[in-house]
Amino acid sequence: MRTFFVARRAVLLTAALLTVIFVAASCGRVEPTYEPGQLEVTSTPAEALIYIDGVLQEQTTPHTFILDANRYEVSVAMDGYFADPPSSTVNLGPAERVVRHFTLSNDAPTILTVLSSPEGASVYLNAESEPRGVTPLDITLDDASPVDISLALDGYYVAPATLSVTPTAHETTVVPADSFHLRSSKTVMMEGLSNVNCGGCPDLATNVHAFMHDGGIGLDRALYMKYSMNYPTPNDPHYRYNEIENADRGVYYQNYQGTGIPVLVIDGEKATGTAANNTPNDQEIAVLVNDALAGDRPGFLIDCEADFTNTTVPVTVSVTAMEDVDLSNLTLYVALVQDYIHYDDAPGSQGETDFHWIFRDRLDTLPTLANMTAGQVLTYEGDLTRGEWDLSTLHIIAFAQDDATKTIYQAGISAMTEKAPAALFVADPTDRQALREDRP
């Protein structure tokens, strides 16, 4: 018996020791746990139905829910009543207590819905120093008194500076997106040097197209034009269509072609990355373009108009000064581009059959811009030549470039529907209340 007891005690001690070792060894792998939070939902009057993330709960107000730390959308309802606010977003933290109160009224609330294009503009009411939120935005008003609405979006001009609206009591009054005109203060110009027989050129084409198509940046913020070089072979049909002006642009950027093509140029500067021939991929292009958009505001806008009916295309380019600017060292380049070309059989050795934003023609005489004052508009006219192409694929692109530094300051395209309206002009270009572009 004694021997058995000792052996048994040894086994128990060994098991206990192994348990301690196992627990200690596994401590680093234990998943962290968090205390739940408390969400109290109340209303005046009480006994309102409660919805969390759109799901009706068994309880009515007032009630406190024990919930995991997370984001929740909360609303209440009662027959014949309207809730203010209509719903509320709750970010519930661990062990946190949050209270959401709703006021129920027999009268429908007076709601102002403000929209904009693009979305994300800050909405100010009655010259308040802080925005009510960003578009699209529903604002519950205390009454139906007239309100002055203004928008601000970083990197954009907005017109009008203020819009007066008289809402309808106990209804939703919608301010449509076209009530305000939002125009990007900067348009980035991208240029490509390519050839249908160039080994890495399809890679660049794919990356640029992915950015232009899926990058979330419209033609008011970034443009692209691809020139065709005469190497590795000169039988590129896009090069052959306009050999002189394609070659001229190649010479203009000859210092960027030390390693050959493809080459991508953004606002006159060679863009580098991790794709073919050290060009950027689509995500790298997005970073470079957004960096360019975040730079200094050029202070002027470029608009293009054209009639593509006949093979001789009359073009009008307007340069509008949004503030006092000296543009006397800038050249205005005006070109005809084709945004899509398809071949049944690949015209080159790389198998490409679809091409985008191909350069076609350029004004022979390039204007030099001038010193301008805020609100001044300079207009330039000329003729370009098109082939027998699908007219829906044709555009005019114009950009202002410093030939000494190669820097491109601004660009514009005929596809832009939001031209530079006179309402954007202000006597004092530093008047933040009027411009609304960079109001804090």
Side-chain angles (χ1 to χ4, degrees), residues 342-348 351-353 355:
H342 172 75
Y343 297 90
D344 291 335
D345 298 314
E352 284 184 285
T353 57
F355 298 84

Side-chain angles (χ1 to χ4, degrees), residues 95-431:
E96 183 181 12
R97 181 179 180 83
V98 175
V99 178
R100 284 294 183 266
H101 182 77
F102 297 84
T103 300
L104 299 166
S105 170
N106 288 316
D107 294 325
T110 301
I111 297 176
L112 185 66
T113 298
V114 184
L115 307 176
S116 72
S117 180
E119 297 179 347
S122 297
V123 181
Y124 297 83
L125 296 187
N126 300 321
E128 294 171 344
S129 60
E130 295 295 327
R132 294 294 187 96
V134 298
T135 57
L137 180 65
D138 292 329
I139 305 172
T140 301
L141 303 174
D142 294 333
D143 52 50
S145 301
V147 292
D148 291 335
I149 308 169
S150 58
L151 301 184
L153 183 59
D154 187 36
Y156 284 81
Y157 294 111
V158 182
T162 302
L163 179 68
S164 295
V165 174
T166 301
T168 302
H170 309 302
E171 293 185 10
T172 297
T173 301
V174 178
V175 180
D178 60 4
S179 300
F180 288 91
H181 303 280
L182 280 71
R183 171 73 181 266
S184 176
S185 59
K186 164 68 176 173
T187 302
V188 176
M189 187 68 227
M190 299 188 295
E191 300 170 274
L193 307 181
S194 185
N195 184 281
V196 296
N197 299 296
C198 153
C201 290
D203 190 23
L204 175 61
T206 298
N207 287 324
V208 172
H209 183 64
F211 166 74
M212 295 291 289
H213 189 265
D214 303 319
I217 293 182
L219 297 180
D220 63 328
R221 311 218 80 189
L223 300 174
Y224 181 59
M225 179 160 49
K226 183 163 69 173
Y227 303 93
S228 302
M229 302 293 97
N230 64 351
Y231 71 95
T233 61
N235 64 345
D236 183 319
H238 311 137
Y239 168 75
R240 296 296 296 273
Y241 178 80
N242 189 340
E243 295 183 7
I244 293 176
E245 289 174 341
N246 273 300
D248 178 72
R249 203 58 177 171
V251 171
Y252 191 87
Y253 287 133
Q254 63 181 342
N255 290 338
Y256 297 165
Q257 300 176 62
T259 57
I261 55 176
V263 169
L264 181 66
V265 180
I266 297 181
D267 277 346
E269 182 177 347
K270 184 177 181 179
T272 60
T274 59
N277 199 37
N278 296 320
T279 57
N281 61 34
D282 58 327
Q283 295 180 348
E284 292 166 334
I285 292 172
V287 171
L288 293 169
V289 169
N290 280 300
D291 285 347
L293 289 170
D296 293 337
R297 182 177 61 197
F300 66 101
L301 299 174
I302 296 177
D303 291 302
C304 307
E305 294 182 356
D307 182 356
F308 298 107
T309 305
N310 300 310
T311 55
T312 297
V313 179
V315 176
T316 300
V317 178
S318 299
V319 179
T320 303
M322 304 305 295
E323 54 194 76
D324 294 345
V325 285
D326 184 4
L327 310 180
S328 58
N329 62 330
L330 302 185
T331 300
L332 183 66
Y333 288 83
V334 183
L336 172 66
V337 298
Q338 196 170 4
D339 69 18
Y340 179 65
I341 303 172
H342 172 75
Y343 297 90
D344 291 335
D345 298 314
S349 61
Q350 301 304 305
E352 284 184 285
T353 57
D354 295 307
F355 298 84
H356 300 272
W357 299 105
I358 299 298
F359 167 79
R360 287 304 199 176
D361 193 24
R362 188 183 72 190
L363 283 185
D364 294 331
T365 302
L366 301 175
T368 299
L369 301 182
N371 197 338
M372 302 178 68
T373 58
Q376 182 180 0
V377 181
L378 297 178
T379 302
Y380 302 92
E381 297 180 342
D383 293 330
L384 294 170
T385 302
R386 69 164 177 84
E388 296 299 328
W389 306 318
D390 180 354
L391 302 188
S392 68
T393 66
L394 303 182
H395 306 275
I396 301 299
I397 288 179
F399 55 90
Q401 186 167 27
D402 185 331
D403 291 327
T405 65
K406 300 292 192 290
T407 301
I408 295 176
Y409 288 89
Q410 186 62 288
I413 187 171
S414 55
M416 272 294 300
T417 58
E418 201 65 77
K419 307 299 183 183
L424 291 176
F425 306 151
V426 291
D428 180 4
T430 62
D431 183 359

